Each structure stands twice: as structure tokens, then as C-alpha cells.
């Protein structure tokens, strides 16, 4: 591995921390996120996009009035 790989991986970990930073994760969950951070930039950007969409959809769902 070269320094560019580690710099890129560090950026991907920071992006994951923006989403999961305040959430208590199990060791297994942390390991999976670290593993994901090792994937290429394209894969990570798509994964982060999907996670952000899921968060937005859940937020919107929670803002809706309860159904009778």
C-alpha cells in the first residue's frame, strides 16, 4: 500500500464518521465500517449516498402525522 491509499482511506473513514460518529456501535459494526472504508472511492460514494437517502427517508417518515 502507498501513502495515497491511506490518505484516501482516511477520507472515507471521516465520511463514515460524519454519519456514525455519535452512534454507539458494536465491535463487529466498527470492523465492517473499517472494512468498507478500504473499498474504492466509487463504491464508498455509492454506499454513503444510499445511507444518506435512507436517513432522509426515515426522517421524512417520522415527520409524518401518525396514521389512524
Amino acid at each position: 500500500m502507498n501513502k495515497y491509499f491511506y490518505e484516501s482511506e482516511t477520507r472515507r473513514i471521516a465520511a463514515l464518521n460524519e454519519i456514525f460518529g455519535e452512534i454507539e456501535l458494536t465491535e463487529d459494526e466498527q470492523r465492517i465500517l473499517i472494512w468498507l472504508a478500504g473499498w474504492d472511492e466509487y463504491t464508498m460514494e455509492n454506499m454513503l449516498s444510499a445511507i444518506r437517502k435512507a436517513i432522509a427517508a426515515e426522517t421524512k417518515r417520522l415527520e409524518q402525522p401518525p396514521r389512524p
Side-chain angles (χ1 to χ4, degrees):
M1 303 290 168
N2 61 41
K3 81 173 195 165
Y4 300 110
F5 171 82
Y6 291 111
E7 288 173 2
S8 182
E9 187 176 56
T10 299
R11 283 192 306 274
R12 292 190 295 267
I13 289 171
L16 286 166
N17 281 333
E18 286 178 24
I19 295 171
F20 295 101
E22 300 298 319
I23 299 170
E24 187 171 329
L25 300 171
T26 66
E27 286 186 31
D28 286 339
E29 291 166 338
Q30 291 175 32
R31 257 193 305 277
I32 289 296
L33 293 177
I34 292 167
W35 173 75
L36 281 172
W39 283 80
D40 61 277
E41 200 77 28
Y42 178 78
T43 300
M44 278 300 299
E45 286 302 317
N46 283 290
M47 176 63 68
L48 291 168
S49 175
I51 292 168
R52 288 182 182 115
K53 286 177 182 178
I55 291 168
E58 180 65 4
T59 300
K60 184 177 180 180
R61 185 188 70 77
L62 293 172
E63 291 172 349
Q64 299 297 315
R67 293 183 181 177

